[in-house]
Amino acid sequence: MSREDPHDLLAMVFARPREAVAAARALLADGSGPYESSIARQALGILHREFGDLEAAIGELRHAVRLARRSGSADRETDVLATLGIALLQSGRTRAGLSALDQAATRADGTTRARVLFRRAGARWILGRHGEALDDLRDAVPALLAARDTVWAARALTLRGHVQLALGAVQPADADFRTAQDMLGPTRQEHDSAVAVQNRGVAAFRTGDLPAALALLDEAEQRFRSLGTPMFDLVGDRCAVLLAAGLARDALEHADGGLRLLARLRGQATRRAELLLIAARAALQSGDPATAGERAGEARRLFARQHRAWWSEHARLIVLQAEHATPDAPARRTALGEAQRLAGRLAVLESPEVWQAHLLAGRIALALGRAGVAERHLARAAGVRHKGPATSRAGGWLAEALRAEAAGEPRRLLHACRAGLALLEEHRLTFGSSELHALATAQGAELVTLAQRHLLREGRPRRLLAWTERWRATSLAVPAVSPPEDGELLARLAALRQAEHLLAQARQDGAASAAALERDRSRLESRVRSATLATTGHAKGRSRGGGEGRDRDDRRTGRLLDALGGGRLAELVAVDGTLHVLLCGDGTVRRHIAGPMDRAVAEVEFARSRLRRLAYERDPDQGELHDLGARLERAVLGPVAGLLGEEAPLVVVPPSTLHTTPWGLLPSLRRRPFTVAPSAGAWLRARSAPRPDGGRIVLVRGPGVAHADREVREIARLYAQAGREASVLEAGRATAPAVLAAIDGSLLAHLAAHGTFRADSPLFSSLHLDDGPLTGYDLERLRRAPHHLVLSSCDSGQMAAVGADELLGLATALLRLGTAGIVASVVPVNDETAVPVMLGLHDGLRRGLGLAEALCRARGDDVSFIAIGAG
């Protein structure tokens, strides 16, 4: 800081905050006069206001006002008074804050007045008074530009961008953000430059480019972290992007973390209210309306005390949405009136979310049988289907579909559902992350259900199959995006393996370092996941759903029936709590009712719990296994079990929530070759996967697996007898890089390694190798997937149900890359009894049998393993 110009201290606050604290304290310690001391107190107040204790900030700023007044400088006093006004408003003392800002605006002149108007505009933006904020900025921006006050002019343009975003004007906002960033480039204002990156992320989000938004927000967070300046509005921005990407639980955890930090720092009440609102949105989207209503209610009370009408009405919207989403909650006539009035208020406030209030009012009116009222509100909500972000437009098509259903117009209903899904599918093409591909489908679930419900009423099983397939396991249909050769990501994956390896050793030894290693692992996982979420997908183009109609659906179903030949395919479909089975074969599709979906889910869990116990018994009771399987079969297949023919091969396509079913336990499947596929389309694609040249076979033995040495040695001997040499990786050579290099493009890979399934983060599910875990993220880096893969460890075929009807796990990572078939288990495996099954399987494979046929002949009494994919 220059001794000649103490004002440099204020410029240093955001550029180098740590230095600013030291310089301000040094200035006060020097016994400087009231003018210079006022600047020091103001700097400390700003630092506390933005990054620490708000009450301490107000104390410093009031002291600064008194010192400025003593100095006799009106200009100095008005500047500090404006800073105090913002702090008072952020603490929830809205009237006092606005009064201070109004006084400062009245007394100030010249450049100081322009800076005061900018700050008052910021206060009005916080309060949701967007028109008044723009009025102040119309005066402030030209004055600051004319004065060549670069940093403040850039801040004013940034603020104008945020106001325009709140009014739905995305392109002008983006232009302001870019201009501000260009202006800040030559300056040393590192904090403002980080804010500019953050704002570009917000603009990317509002234009629908979520990977770019995540990457920019990650960059901004790294910059803020290096400056030591926590930014709570960055938490809110990231949560909004996570919500749009379908990562609702991540958003809720992120918002709650921000709230805890804000409370610890005694931070701004205005930001607390905003974080509560975003947490409420996240809870609602993650299926927790009770938490959503609680958070939104608290946020609304805070907004009301802060006189923030715009924000308060948006909190009220979530309160009403949460109430309507509560299971078994009856529709209230009073709720309809509240939703209608809310829609009117949001329209006056020019909120871009007014369509959501109309959609809510339309839903409530339908539930109450008020067809005319419903039509009026749904028509208003449907108006957004031709403009705005893809997710909002899809919401407009949902409103249009509800209108058509209420009016009894099936063609219009199916057109609206098709158009909404096509929009969402095109939107998903921008994602490179398989996780985002899968999660984003949740936004289309209701559109699919509306179409399925109609086709059930019409008795159209063939078309019901086509519509179910339209939104089932769709992430596997999108061409995989190979991650770039990112050295930093590769280093993080290697570091994660090392951390996991050290953590396992520390736990085994009871070392005190286990807790620190656990934190290191979580941090590395977070960084790996963030990097992959920001991967950009293929360029936008016409989605595969864009122009589809009945003819194309019929052609697809025809191709499926032709491919089945003499076999059968059973596609299980859950609609409104009932499980239906669409049995395909002999050129037809027939629908049968299996029973209640909740009973099927309960029976699957019961069977899995019993099998977990029986897996560790040397000779499990076959009678008990048969009874358990028969009970499960009645729940998941119903009458279809008796319609499958003698031993015809079968493809089972369950909904994602039933994928963990131990299908080998079912009596009708015990002696039948069968395969389980995420979708009929995935089965067709896997069936046509080209076999690689060369026929390379790779056998891998991980550490600590009982009987794995015998298993791998005997399998290698089988292939040697057939004149085929298998590459064996074991005894310290089975490292992740070596295994990935070996299985890339192989004909067959067999991995005998312990596995871990991570329901909380499925792509961190792993196989344990000599140097640590091999995760789904590692497998996604393969250039060519192995044609066939055998995983002989426990639960290796488990996948998590996510999105609308999607799966994530080790198997999906490979199926998406082109693996034709996988043999794996969905329940615990007895390592000793698994060995003969594996030997029998490979004996069949070396003789030319397919995976499903070879497994059927090798299975014996084993019920652990299934074939996934084409088999």
Side-chain angles (χ1 to χ4, degrees):
M1 183 188 70
S2 167
R3 274 288 191 184
E4 289 73 23
D5 189 359
H7 293 95
D8 288 348
L9 178 57
L10 294 175
M12 192 189 298
V13 165
F14 290 112
R16 302 182 301 283
R18 293 188 183 94
E19 292 179 39
V21 171
R25 288 173 177 163
L27 190 63
L28 292 172
D30 285 348
S32 301
Y35 188 95
E36 292 80 4
S37 296
S38 170
I39 292 174
R41 295 287 181 189
Q42 184 181 11
L44 291 172
I46 294 170
L47 287 160
H48 280 303
R49 185 191 70 191
E50 295 299 318
F51 314 121
D53 188 331
L54 196 54
E55 289 305 313
I58 291 170
E60 292 284 5
L61 292 170
R62 281 180 168 153
H63 196 170
V65 170
R66 292 193 295 271
L67 288 167
R69 193 171 295 137
R70 280 175 51 198
S71 75
S73 170
D75 192 67
R76 172 100 286 274
E77 183 180 350
T78 55
D79 189 69
V80 183
L81 193 58
T83 305
L84 173 62
I86 293 291
L88 289 168
L89 183 135
Q90 290 176 336
S91 72
R93 285 165 267 191
T94 303
R95 288 195 179 91
L98 287 176
S99 174
L101 285 160
D102 288 343
Q103 290 179 52
T106 301
R107 299 178 191 176
D109 54 24
T111 302
T112 299
R113 183 173 185 275
R115 291 182 178 186
V116 170
L117 290 176
F118 153 70
R119 283 177 279 197
R120 188 171 70 178
R124 288 171 165 175
W125 169 59
I126 291 171
L127 295 172
R129 301 178 186 179
H130 301 121
E132 294 176 19
L134 287 176
D135 288 342
D136 276 346
L137 289 169
R138 285 190 191 97
D139 291 336
V141 170
L144 292 168
L145 289 170
R148 300 192 178 186
D149 194 346
T150 303
V151 172
W152 284 84
R155 290 172 181 169
L157 286 170
T158 296
L159 176 59
R160 190 172 70 182
H162 281 296
V163 176
Q164 291 180 131
L165 275 184
L167 296 172
V170 179
Q171 297 304 325
D174 187 45
D176 276 347
F177 290 151
R178 288 181 180 276
T179 302
Q181 185 176 17
D182 291 342
M183 292 173 67
L184 288 167
T187 72
R188 296 185 64 195
Q189 294 296 316
E190 296 174 26
H191 178 87
D192 285 285
S193 295
V195 170
V197 174
Q198 175 187 346
N199 291 332
R200 283 183 53 216
V202 174
F205 160 56
R206 293 297 293 270
T207 58
D209 190 349
L210 301 191
L214 287 168
L216 288 164
L217 294 179
D218 283 344
E219 181 185 344
E221 182 177 27
Q222 290 171 11
R223 292 190 182 203
F224 289 133
R225 189 181 292 121
S226 68
L227 290 169
T229 55
M231 289 294 289
F232 295 101
D233 52 350
L234 177 63
V235 174
D237 291 341
R238 186 187 295 281
C239 287
V241 178
L242 292 172
L243 282 174
L247 297 162
R249 294 201 176 278
D250 292 70
L252 183 56
E253 290 174 9
H254 205 63
D256 284 348
L259 285 165
R260 288 191 295 272
L261 178 60
L262 192 66
R264 192 160 65 246
L265 295 176
R266 299 174 64 195
Q268 301 167 7
T270 51
R271 285 179 176 161
R272 173 174 171 75
E274 291 162 18
L275 285 175
L276 281 168
L277 181 61
I278 198 75
R281 286 195 179 113
L284 185 63
Q285 192 168 308
S286 63
D288 186 356
T291 299
E294 177 186 318
R295 301 285 176 83
E298 185 180 352
R300 188 170 183 242
R301 289 188 290 274
L302 284 172
F303 288 136
R305 287 202 292 271
Q306 295 162 10
H307 305 284
R308 300 170 72 183
W310 190 90
W311 293 89
S312 180
E313 299 300 348
H314 285 78
R316 180 59 179 155
L317 173 61
I318 295 180
V319 169
L320 291 176
Q321 288 173 326
E323 181 182 293
H324 185 71
T326 300
D328 303 321
R332 296 185 295 107
R333 292 186 180 277
T334 53
L336 176 58
E338 290 169 10
Q340 289 179 291
R341 288 189 292 275
L342 177 63
R345 291 194 293 270
L346 289 175
V348 170
L349 292 168
E350 300 182 73
S351 168
E353 296 180 20
V354 64
W355 68 272
Q356 293 192 36
H358 284 298
L359 177 60
L360 176 62
R363 288 183 188 277
I364 297 171
L366 285 176
L368 293 171
R370 302 281 298 278
V373 175
E375 164 61 22
R376 185 166 66 250
H377 284 288
L378 291 174
R380 295 288 295 276
V384 301
R385 66 189 186 278
H386 297 304
K387 59 185 178 182
T391 50
S392 296
R393 288 155 61 199
W397 281 113
L398 172 60
E400 178 66 11
L402 290 170
R403 290 177 70 199
E405 182 183 48
E409 299 180 25
R411 289 175 64 87
R412 182 175 151 211
L413 164 66
L414 294 178
H415 170 74
C417 293
R418 189 178 295 115
L421 292 178
L423 262 176
L424 291 173
E425 188 168 352
E426 185 173 331
H427 174 57
R428 291 192 309 127
L429 291 176
T430 63
F431 302 154
S433 160
S434 57
E435 183 177 6
L436 290 186
H437 272 293
L439 291 167
T441 59
Q443 296 166 327
E446 189 173 359
L447 288 166
V448 174
T449 299
L450 286 169
Q452 289 174 323
R453 190 181 293 145
H454 162 69
L455 294 168
L456 276 173
R457 287 194 301 264
E458 294 288 309
R460 304 283 187 85
R462 196 175 176 113
R463 296 199 72 194
L464 177 60
L465 173 65
W467 269 92
T468 301
E469 280 291 302
R470 188 183 291 271
W471 214 240
R472 173 171 284 183
T474 55
S475 61
L476 300 182
V478 179
V481 175
S482 298
E485 287 302 320
D486 183 343
E488 186 175 354
L489 178 58
L490 288 172
R492 286 174 180 169
L493 286 167
L496 179 58
R497 279 191 292 276
Q498 178 67 7
E500 184 71 48
H501 185 72
L502 292 173
L503 176 60
Q505 188 65 49
R507 284 173 172 167
Q508 182 178 328
D509 298 342
S513 60
L517 288 167
E518 183 86 50
R519 289 193 295 272
D520 286 345
R521 184 188 68 174
S522 297
R523 176 178 52 80
L524 286 165
E525 284 185 352
S526 177
R527 290 183 178 179
V528 167
R529 188 162 176 252
S530 294
T532 55
L533 290 178
T535 305
T536 301
H538 296 283
K540 282 189 177 182
R542 189 176 182 82
S543 70
R544 64 185 178 92
E548 291 185 17
R550 182 172 179 176
D551 289 345
R552 187 150 177 194
D553 287 344
D554 286 344
R555 289 196 299 273
R556 285 186 169 182
T557 304
R559 286 198 299 271
L560 172 64
L561 294 171
D562 290 344
L564 286 171
R568 299 286 186 272
L569 182 144
E571 180 129 354
L572 281 62
V573 185
V575 182
D576 294 332
T578 298
L579 183 63
H580 306 263
V581 182
L582 301 176
L583 185 59
C584 309
D586 296 329
T588 64
V589 180
R590 293 186 174 88
R591 180 178 66 87
H592 305 271
I593 296 177
M597 181 63 176
D598 57 0
R599 187 184 75 180
V601 171
E603 290 296 339
V604 169
E605 286 308 308
F606 177 73
R608 287 176 57 78
S609 68
R610 297 295 291 167
L611 288 175
R612 277 193 286 271
R613 178 180 64 80
L614 293 171
Y616 301 102
E617 294 185 7
R618 190 172 188 84
D619 294 306
D621 186 336
Q622 292 300 313
E624 180 182 357
L625 283 174
H626 181 275
D627 293 343
L628 189 62
R631 176 175 166 175
L632 177 61
E633 186 170 84
R634 287 191 295 272
V636 297
L637 291 183
V640 171
L643 303 173
L644 298 176
E646 287 300 317
E647 293 185 0
L650 176 69
V651 181
V652 182
V653 182
S656 58
T657 47
L658 294 182
H659 182 80
T660 57
T661 302
W663 298 101
L665 184 63
L666 275 59
S668 63
L669 306 187
R670 290 286 292 271
R671 301 292 179 257
R672 178 194 307 275
F674 73 91
T675 185
V676 180
S679 70
W683 175 75
L684 279 172
R685 287 188 298 276
R687 184 174 175 271
S688 61
R691 288 172 66 89
D693 297 330
R696 197 156 32 88
I697 298 168
V698 180
L699 308 178
V700 177
R701 176 169 66 87
V705 182
H707 310 287
D709 180 57
R710 175 192 162 207
E711 179 182 319
V712 169
R713 188 173 61 251
E714 290 296 316
I715 293 171
R717 186 179 59 80
L718 279 174
Y719 286 106
Q721 289 173 351
R724 302 171 67 183
E725 184 179 354
S727 299
V728 179
L729 296 176
E730 59 182 348
R733 295 188 301 117
T735 63
V739 169
L740 289 171
I743 69 174
D744 197 295
S746 63
L747 173 65
L748 172 64
H750 178 108
L751 277 67
H754 283 307
T756 299
F757 173 66
R758 288 277 300 275
D760 63 317
S761 191
L763 289 176
F764 281 118
S765 298
S766 60
L767 298 169
H768 299 285
L769 301 179
D770 288 334
D771 62 340
L774 178 77
T775 69
Y777 291 110
D778 291 299
L779 293 173
E780 286 188 331
R781 301 192 67 80
L782 288 169
R783 292 172 300 161
R784 297 161 301 167
H787 187 68
H788 283 150
L789 178 71
V790 179
L791 302 173
S792 61
S793 62
C794 298
D795 297 313
S796 52
Q798 275 222 68
M799 292 175 268
V802 299
D805 203 356
E806 304 287 321
L807 292 162
L808 281 178
L810 293 177
T812 55
L814 290 160
L815 289 172
R816 191 177 183 219
L817 287 169
T819 291
I822 300 169
V823 168
S825 69
V826 291
V827 291
V829 172
N830 183 310
D831 290 335
E832 183 177 4
T833 59
V835 174
V837 177
M838 292 294 103
L839 294 178
L841 169 69
H842 283 279
D843 185 50
L845 292 175
R846 71 171 182 156
R847 291 186 288 110
L849 297 180
L851 279 181
E853 180 68 29
L855 179 61
C856 177
R857 296 190 184 191
R859 182 180 291 123
D861 293 327
D862 179 79
V863 298
S864 304
F865 293 98
I866 60 172
I868 303 170

